[in-house]
Amino acid sequence: MRKKENENIKRVALYIRVSGEEQKISGLSLEAQQERLEKYAKEKGWIIAGTYIDAAKTARKNMHKRAEFQNMIEAVKRDEIDLLLFCRLDRWFRSVADYYKVMEILEQHNCEWLTTDEEYDTTTANGRLYINVKLSIAQNEADIDGERIDVVFDSKISRGTVVSGKCLFGYKINSEKRLEIDEEKAAIVQDAFDYYEKNVTQRGTITYIRQKYGVNWCDATFRRMLKEELYSGVYNRNNRFNENFCEPIISKKQFQRVQELRKRNSRKTKTGNVYIFTSTLVCDECGHKLIGYAICRDGLKHAYYRCNQHFQRKLCNNNRSINEDTIEKWLFDNLENEIKKVETAWSVSAAKKKRNSVAKDKAAIKSKLSKLKDLYVNDLIDIEEYKKDYEIYTAALNELPENNVETPPNFSKVRRLLDKDFKEIYNNLTREEKRTLWRSVIKEIRINSDREVVSIFLGSVLPFLHYPLVHLL
């Protein structure tokens, strides 16, 4: 039997979180939470605007590390959600401080929250105190769990057992949960340490191992391997130490000799080298980011970019570098046309979204009206209930806009900035400011092996308008 309601139709977001097997056993698995929340929302006649699931995420972690939770909050900020729905308060938070940070956002956007399994009242002082107490208890339980986990880890390390399913190249995990030497891979590790000790070259060692064994390590991977104490049998991480954690692949004496060579051979990265298109340029041949480097010529420093998948790992055929000045010139010559393409694409997309959004909402409400009729025909509700709910759904249907117009980005402002003395302004910026400017407009520039710009992907145009130079408009 449908319950009598006086509420308007709400756009509700379902939030689901589970951290491990214990919650699953207690009936809070992802599937169980989702089924419970969907049933509750449907019984209320609410529209489910989105389902946000954080699997294997603990509430003890910083809320910014829960990706779906952050996506839900962003939807709240866009005023797309009227109510957050979850099973229990501890699915949401176990921190009083985090709770009030989010509550500030919800209040700014007139968004409420509700739990299906518990009752809370945020309108009274006693109700708010009760929430504080519940969150404090949940936070304390999480802290105690963390302390217990630390004790377990301490015990594991002291007994020489692993704390995760991952292990270093050269080892494998045996049935007793201990690290055991993988003879074939360990021989490669030993050879790599021997070669480095003899020749004192990371890049040369990587090339040697690749050519001899077909093992393709990158610079960062091999650098970590060279300073990994576990290869000498010593566990020394996170304030936990065991001198005889596992059987060593490298002797302690050789490991120490390699560390001394690393220190003597290490070169500090030069300061002041800012590359304007770092993280923006992509190799069109292999899809990896291009890396910046500098060449001094005629007393001046010139910036270039190249694909290290070729120069370090020989996995890409793009063996040419591109000058930073070439990229800047291309952007000044072509950015206007690229913005026109974005504007055209946005117009087409906005028109499509406008049609689809309204059609989807209408279909959802019409479906509810059809189900309501079935309930009345089958004598599951009386005529008064039918009329009341029919009026609610019909009113909601009539209030849907015929044209859900989305406000377009202000392309004209971008063009005005480009049409005016943009190049003169640009030339007076620092390299850091230039990099920030391009990153705010451009998401990706793809470069082929002929040093040509083959495509460009613009990010949102709006961040560009918020850039500090906007006052120049």
Side-chain angles (χ1 to χ4, degrees), residues 33 201 316-317 417 442 448:
Q33 290 184 62
T201 166
C316 178
N317 61 4
L417 185 57
I442 298 172
N448 66 13

Side-chain angles (χ1 to χ4, degrees), residues 150-372:
D150 285 340
V151 171
V152 171
F153 281 7
D154 290 343
S155 175
K156 283 178 174 289
I157 298 306
S158 66
R159 289 184 285 109
T161 55
V162 297
V163 295
S164 73
K166 296 181 180 180
C167 61
L168 288 173
F169 185 92
Y171 287 102
K172 58 185 177 182
I173 301 174
N174 63 21
S175 58
E176 296 178 349
K177 302 298 182 182
R178 298 175 183 272
L179 287 183
E180 181 180 297
I181 289 180
D182 183 322
E183 297 295 342
E184 184 177 341
K185 292 182 178 179
I188 299 174
V189 174
Q190 181 68 69
D191 198 7
F193 271 75
D194 290 344
Y195 188 93
Y196 179 83
E197 187 177 7
K198 180 180 178 180
N199 297 279
V200 197
T201 166
Q202 290 187 27
R203 186 77 56 83
T205 305
I206 292 169
T207 302
Y208 167 75
I209 295 296
R210 180 174 61 245
Q211 292 174 348
K212 184 174 180 178
Y213 300 101
V215 176
N216 210 347
W217 294 326
C218 68
D219 281 356
T221 297
F222 186 59
R223 193 180 305 115
R224 287 193 297 269
M225 291 174 66
L226 284 177
K227 58 184 180 181
E228 177 54 72
E229 277 192 89
L230 206 56
Y231 281 127
S232 65
V234 177
Y235 188 101
N236 188 10
R237 300 176 184 172
N238 302 321
N239 297 319
R240 298 185 179 96
F241 183 83
N242 184 343
E243 189 174 8
N244 299 296
F245 181 77
C246 62
E247 185 179 354
I249 294 176
I250 307 299
S251 70
K252 289 182 173 63
K253 289 184 178 180
Q254 183 180 21
F255 184 80
Q256 291 302 323
R257 291 197 302 269
V258 167
Q259 303 317 303
E260 290 299 322
L261 289 172
R262 284 183 55 250
K263 292 177 183 177
R264 292 203 300 265
N265 195 45
S266 64
R267 293 179 296 175
K268 292 184 179 180
T269 303
K270 295 180 180 179
T271 59
N273 287 348
V274 176
Y275 299 103
I276 295 174
F277 299 105
T278 295
S279 79
T280 304
L281 298 183
V282 175
C283 175
D284 194 52
E285 306 295 330
C286 67
H288 283 77
K289 303 282 188 183
L290 299 189
I291 306 300
Y293 68 100
I295 294 178
C296 290
R297 188 171 59 247
D298 301 327
L300 297 175
K301 190 180 293 183
H302 301 269
Y304 287 82
Y305 299 85
R306 67 185 183 188
C307 179
N308 274 0
Q309 285 295 100
H310 169 80
F311 287 95
Q312 289 189 7
R313 307 183 72 177
K314 308 301 180 186
L315 294 178
C316 178
N317 61 4
N318 187 355
N319 61 352
R320 307 183 75 178
S321 299
I322 186 168
N323 190 300
E324 192 172 80
D325 295 338
T326 302
I327 301 167
E328 286 182 311
K329 183 179 184 305
W330 189 94
L331 288 172
F332 282 116
D333 293 342
N334 296 276
L335 189 57
E336 177 104 20
N337 290 332
E338 296 300 323
I339 291 174
K340 286 181 180 179
K341 292 178 184 178
V342 172
E343 184 175 17
T344 301
W346 183 90
S347 300
V348 174
S349 174
K352 184 177 180 180
K353 284 196 295 185
K354 179 176 63 178
R355 293 193 301 268
N356 291 345
S357 176
V358 175
K360 185 177 179 180
D361 290 342
K362 285 185 177 180
I365 296 177
K366 287 180 179 179
S367 174
K368 293 181 183 296
L369 285 169
S370 177
K371 291 178 182 178
L372 181 65

